[in-house]
Every structure is written in structure tokens, then in C-alpha cells.
Amino acid sequence: LGLCVSRASASVLNVNCCLVLLPMCRVLLAFLRGSQKVASRKTRRLLDKSKTFHVTCGVTICIFSVLHVAAHLVNALNFSENYNEDFLALNAANYRGEVSQLYLMSVLVPGLTGVIMVLVLFLMCTASTYAIRVSNYDIFWYTHNLFFVFYMLLMLHVSGCPGDSYMVCPRDLQTHGQLLYRARHFLWLECAGRLGENLPVLGVSPFEYFHSIPGFLFCFKLLQVCSYSILFFRVAKHFLATWFWISGPLCLYCVERLYRYIRSNKPVTITSVISHPSNVLEVRMMKADFKARPGQYVILHCPRVSTLESHPFTLTMCPTDTKATFGVHLKVVGDWTERFRDLLLLHSNQDTEILPIFQQRRYPKLYVDGPFGSPFEESLNYEVSLCVAGGIGVTPFASVLNTLLDGWKCYKLRRLYFIWVCRDIESFRWFADLLCMLHDKLWQENRPDYINIQLYLSQTDGIQKIIGEKYQALNSRLLIGRPRWKLLFDEIAKCNRRKTIGVFCCGPNKISKILHKLSNSSNSYGTRFEYNKESFS
């Protein structure tokens, strides 16, 4: 049983070690999402589950690794208890009762690499928990990059594993010994016969004679050509099987990382840094030949902040035909963002004006990797979309609103419900100007019903307003408390009968779960809601 479980779990590990790398090929996913060949919206929505798929494969690897180790321990116990002096060639143990050093000493390479792989996997698994990622992202980031060490050890592990015959028949050697003796005798007869050797008397051990004949290596190759399925010689099976599964995705991932390194090797030009309320920083940049779609995100790397560490941020402004500037909003919540803010504001002296290129200040070098795809690219491909943001989760919708400000008639979208929930009134000032400009533009074009803006202030002691005369349009849409999601969905369904509405959410998990549940529920108006959620891979 231990042998069967160890071999079966190893096969499952091969498959999952192959699949776990595919969701991390971000360039490939972005290409497929934006490719016209993937025309089906349902097919593209499957790409949004890439992170879930990656986590599922990782959990499967952890479970079957434990099963694989346990099966080998059972094998070691069986070999130790069934030691037989009559069949020394079949004994994996050196003496009866040898357990502790059986797999670490007699099988040195697979034993030691297996132990180290278990330790690496334990570090990656524990550091990937939600508590570690939230409290100290650095630990998660650095331990997760041990995957390269894991794969190198995996190839050494399988290359040092013995063949199946080494693990055959750990129990009842008296019964199976004759069968193996006959198999070896048959092999000896075939090889000796093909080489024209004079066969010795059967009383001589065929196994000893077989190893003594000069043509041993030739016989081994000859049997491979003749496809004799004898378990005793399947030494390289595990290495070939593992290499068959892992080589393709591993090479694909390495090529993509090389491409991403070359693409992001040139630093961007920072045009301005703007400090917003509630510890939010806006960085506007320029880069030659940089193109992005609304809803996509980039990965920022600043060597002066951290040599190896980088973080993803959603684009809040995309480059267009008329302007090459793009930007991100980042909330200062960790060590990396704090150091990054201090470097930028140190050079900008808290000044928020945008200077011409020839008068730019000396900002630290900043590298941008991307852009990469996200579910919010689909928000413009629905006739009706419902966008729900919680706090800083408004960033992916900001790029959509900026795109609509440049022109909305070229897109399929004809009505947008925009709901933004914040804890403090100052947070709305991040994109208050953008919302007002879009509102005024649509009124001038006689399309005031194109966008429905609802702002919710969840925590307040009384009635508050966004300070400023130009924000009167937003003050009339500012509500106190939390949205009544069920009534909101019923109202939207009633106004858009028998239509498919895209639901997009970027915010706390509590809001996400509510929206997901309501999207899957039926209604009496024939309206169908398709749920999409932001999830960085």
C-alpha cells in the first residue's frame, strides 16, 4: 500500500507542479484577455480565477506532499520489518530494524532533497496565510520566491530516485522471490542469446552472471530498443515523467520573466507627485511606447526602497492618443509604501504642481512592469455595468472614468452605476474633480442618465458635505450609512429588464460576498447579473 500511495501521490504532484506555474504567467494571461481570439466573455472570465486556481494547486501540492512523505515512511518500515537474508539483493535495509537512516543514508540524494523540499514548502505555505500577508508582506514575498529552489531540488530529487524494482515486493519476499528470480533468468537468457554467449548451468545465479558478462550495457540498451517491460531496469522513469510535466511550464515562466525584465529595464519619467488626504499618494509618469487598457494594473519597483521587492498597483489614468501620461494612486499602509512616499515627497517638498519635462525634479528611479490584465477591462464591454468600490478600491474604476471622460460613444457601455463607500468624507476628494468633470460633460451632451453616482459615508456623527462649491453635484449624491444592497439590485434589475449587467467589485470581502450572492440570485425581471472581482495574481 505504501508503494502504491507514494507512486500515485508523486504523479499528482507532477501534474500540480506543472499547473501551479501557469497562473503566474501574467503576460500570457493579459494577452489572452485582450486577444480577439478569445471572443467569448465566459471564457475570458475564467482567466479571472487565475489566483484561485494557483492557490488550489498550491494547497494540493501541500496535501499530497504530506501523503507522499507518509507513504515513504511506511515503505521504510516495511523494508525494515521484512528484511530477509535469503534475498540480499532485494533488501533495501542493511539489517532488520533499520528505519531512521534508511532513506537519508542508503538513498542519499532523494532523501536529503526530499527533506529540504518539505522545509521549503512549509515556509511557503505558512507565509502565504492571510495573517502573514497582511501583517508582514515582505515575509510572504521573499519566501514565495523560494519556488525556484523548490523546483531545482525537485529535479535533483527525481534524478536520484531508484527505479520501481528497488521498491518492489517489500512484503512476503519468500513468495515473490522466485518470481523475481525467473524474471532475471528470462532477462539473462534473452541478452545472452542475442550476444551468442554460452549459457551457464542454471544452478549459477543468473543475476551474478548477468553482471559479469562484458555485454551488460549493450544488453540494457538492446532491451530498451526491444521495449521489454521489465521493472528492474526502469531507473530513469521518475526523472523523465517529472521532466515531461514540469519542463514546459517552467521554461515558459522563465522566458516570460526574462521578457518582463527586458521590457521594464528602462526607468519611467515621474512627472508629478500629488499628496491626497487619508495617506494617499498619486504618482504620474511617462514611458515611451507604454500602452494600457482601462482597468489594468502595473508592478512598481523602486531600487532605493527595496532591491528585490515590488508591488502591484492599479492604473488610475491610462495613456491615450492625445496624452502619454499615466498614473497610480497608492495608499500608505506598509513599510514599502512609507519609504516610497518619503522618497518622493522629500524631492517634491510637498508641492503638487506639474512641471514641464525640462524642469523636472530629480526623483528616485522607478521601474514599471506591465501592464497586466484584470476583470475591470470588461466593464466597458457590457451595455450596463455596476461598479462598487470600497475606499481605495476605487482605483480600477478611476481609469474607466478617465477613459469615459475622453469619449464614451466608441464603447458598448450605455449606462454605468457607480457606487463608492468610504469611512471618512475626505476620501471622496481623491477623485471628486474627476467625477464632477464627467458629470458636467454628460450633462452638456444631454446624457445625464449615462452615469448614476451614489456616494456612501459609512461612519459619521452627522450630516457632512464635500467642501467646495464645485462639488455641489456630488453633495446631492452623498448618502449617510451603508447601501441597502438588496433594494439596489432590485431597482437596477427593474430599470434594465431582460439585460445582462456586469457587476464589478473592488473592496472588502464582506461587500464582495454580499454582491456575489445577490448576483447569483434570480429576480422576476429577467435580468442577469455577472459578478467580477479584482484579484491580483
Side-chain angles (χ1 to χ4, degrees):
L1 178 61
L3 174 62
C4 297
V5 173
S6 63
R7 295 281 80 83
S9 58
S11 299
V12 176
L13 289 173
N14 285 338
V15 176
N16 283 272
C17 288
C18 160
L19 298 178
V20 75
L21 289 173
L22 296 180
M24 296 297 100
C25 298
R26 306 188 187 193
V27 176
L28 177 62
L29 294 180
F31 171 77
L32 293 177
R33 191 188 299 274
S35 176
Q36 298 298 327
K37 295 181 180 179
V38 187
S40 174
R41 182 187 297 161
K42 293 182 179 180
T43 304
R44 291 198 301 269
R45 289 181 65 205
L46 291 177
L47 300 177
D48 302 340
K49 306 295 183 181
S50 59
K51 179 182 176 181
T52 303
F53 183 77
H54 175 75
V55 173
T56 302
C57 291
V59 172
T60 305
I61 291 174
C62 294
I63 294 175
F64 279 88
S65 294
V66 173
L67 194 63
H68 187 72
V69 172
H72 275 306
L73 294 177
V74 172
N75 286 336
L77 183 61
N78 288 337
F79 277 121
S80 177
E81 292 181 351
N82 294 280
Y83 179 85
N84 194 306
E85 296 181 355
D86 295 334
F87 300 94
L88 297 178
L90 295 179
N91 291 315
N94 296 320
Y95 53 87
R96 183 179 297 275
E98 182 188 21
V99 178
S100 59
Q101 298 179 347
L102 184 61
Y103 275 82
L104 294 181
M105 301 304 295
S106 63
V107 191
L108 185 61
V109 173
L112 292 179
T113 54
V115 171
I116 300 176
M117 287 170 60
V118 170
L119 295 177
V120 171
L121 195 61
F122 175 78
L123 292 175
M124 295 176 64
C125 181
T126 53
S128 300
T129 57
Y130 179 78
I132 297 296
R133 286 187 287 114
V134 172
S135 61
N136 197 326
Y137 186 84
D138 295 352
I139 296 178
F140 162 76
W141 195 89
Y142 285 110
T143 55
H144 229 60
N145 279 274
L146 292 175
F147 80 96
F148 187 77
V149 177
F150 178 84
Y151 276 94
M152 295 300 101
L153 290 173
L154 178 60
M155 302 312 299
L156 291 175
H157 180 74
V158 297
S159 64
C161 283
D164 282 342
S165 63
Y166 185 79
M167 306 296 293
V168 168
C169 306
R171 296 182 179 180
D172 198 6
L173 295 179
Q174 291 83 355
T175 303
H176 299 298
Q178 294 298 326
L179 179 61
L180 289 178
Y181 186 90
R182 293 176 183 177
R184 289 171 176 171
H185 183 221
F186 170 76
L187 177 63
W188 165 74
L189 288 175
E190 289 292 330
C191 293
R194 291 178 181 274
L195 293 173
E197 297 284 347
N198 294 323
L199 303 183
V201 181
L202 189 59
V204 180
S205 172
F207 183 64
E208 295 178 0
Y209 177 79
F210 177 72
H211 278 275
S212 65
I213 60 175
F216 168 71
L217 293 178
F218 176 76
C219 294
F220 179 67
K221 296 295 182 181
L222 185 62
L223 286 173
Q224 285 183 323
V225 175
C226 297
S227 301
Y228 280 99
S229 177
I230 299 177
L231 295 177
F232 186 72
F233 288 100
R234 293 165 65 185
V235 176
K237 170 192 171 185
H238 304 304
F239 179 80
L240 295 177
T242 302
W243 180 252
F244 171 79
W245 285 103
I246 295 178
S247 59
L250 188 60
C251 292
L252 177 64
Y253 181 81
C254 292
V255 170
E256 181 183 282
R257 289 305 298 261
L258 178 61
Y259 168 74
R260 287 171 53 184
Y261 174 78
I262 296 174
R263 183 177 65 173
S264 61
N265 193 33
K266 185 178 180 180
V268 299
T269 301
I270 300 178
T271 59
S272 66
V273 178
I274 304 174
S275 180
H276 291 286
S278 302
N279 285 328
V280 171
L281 197 68
E282 179 182 359
V283 183
R284 296 184 182 180
M285 301 160 281
M286 294 180 62
K287 184 179 180 180
D289 300 326
F290 182 85
K291 297 180 180 180
R293 297 187 294 270
Q296 291 187 322
Y297 70 94
V298 295
I299 298 178
L300 300 185
H301 173 59
C302 183
R304 290 188 59 183
V305 176
S306 177
T307 306
L308 300 175
E309 191 176 346
S310 56
H311 290 272
F313 295 96
T314 305
L315 290 171
T316 55
M317 180 187 298
C318 294
T320 61
D321 296 335
T322 57
K323 60 180 180 180
T325 305
F326 63 96
V328 297
H329 282 63
L330 55 96
K331 190 172 181 62
V332 182
V333 292
D335 295 339
W336 192 92
T337 51
E338 288 179 357
R339 294 194 298 268
F340 187 51
R341 176 199 58 188
D342 294 340
L343 282 174
L344 294 178
L345 295 184
L346 175 66
H347 290 81
S348 62
N349 295 322
Q350 304 292 337
D351 196 351
T352 61
E353 70 169 315
I354 303 176
L355 297 179
I357 299 297
F358 59 87
Q359 296 181 6
Q360 282 187 27
R361 308 178 182 92
R362 297 184 59 184
Y363 290 107
K365 286 186 177 181
L366 182 64
Y367 298 89
V368 173
D369 184 13
F372 304 105
S374 78
F376 299 108
E377 295 182 52
E378 296 294 324
S379 59
L380 297 174
N381 296 329
Y382 286 90
E383 186 177 348
V384 182
S385 291
L386 169 61
C387 298
V388 180
I392 195 61
V394 71
T395 51
F397 305 118
S399 61
V400 176
L401 297 176
N402 269 303
T403 301
L404 295 177
L405 186 62
D406 294 332
W408 55 271
K409 296 182 180 180
C410 59
Y411 298 102
K412 183 179 179 180
L413 183 66
R414 288 299 173 263
R415 175 165 292 185
L416 174 64
Y417 294 89
F418 177 69
I419 300 175
W420 188 7
V421 184
C422 289
R423 294 182 177 180
D424 59 276
I425 193 70
E426 291 297 321
S427 298
F428 293 115
R429 298 178 66 90
W430 301 339
F431 299 103
D433 292 331
L434 173 61
L435 291 173
C436 288
M437 286 189 295
L438 182 59
H439 174 269
D440 296 339
K441 174 184 174 64
L442 294 173
W443 268 90
Q444 293 175 4
E445 297 181 0
N446 197 25
R447 281 303 308 273
D449 60 336
Y450 185 89
I451 182 171
N452 186 324
I453 301 175
Q454 298 183 26
L455 307 179
Y456 288 87
L457 188 60
S458 61
Q459 294 182 2
T460 181
D461 296 332
I463 299 177
Q464 299 187 31
K465 293 184 179 181
I466 305 176
I467 301 175
E469 291 294 332
K470 61 181 178 179
Y471 300 136
Q472 291 301 321
L474 298 184
N475 287 328
S476 62
R477 290 163 172 79
L478 181 61
L479 304 173
I480 304 300
R482 292 180 173 84
R484 303 175 67 179
W485 299 112
K486 176 61 177 175
L487 295 178
L488 181 64
F489 268 69
D490 290 340
E491 180 183 352
I492 295 176
K494 183 178 180 180
C495 297
N496 301 275
R497 298 173 183 266
R498 294 181 294 277
K499 291 183 179 180
T500 300
I501 300 177
V503 181
F504 301 87
C505 175
C506 185
N509 288 329
K510 185 177 181 180
I511 296 179
S512 176
K513 292 179 180 179
I514 295 174
L515 297 182
H516 196 180
K517 182 179 179 180
L518 291 174
S519 299
N520 293 333
S521 61
S522 60
N523 57 78
S524 59
Y525 305 104
T527 305
R528 188 162 63 94
F529 293 91
E530 291 185 352
Y531 179 76
N532 303 267
K533 182 181 182 298
E534 173 68 288
S535 178
F536 288 118
S537 44

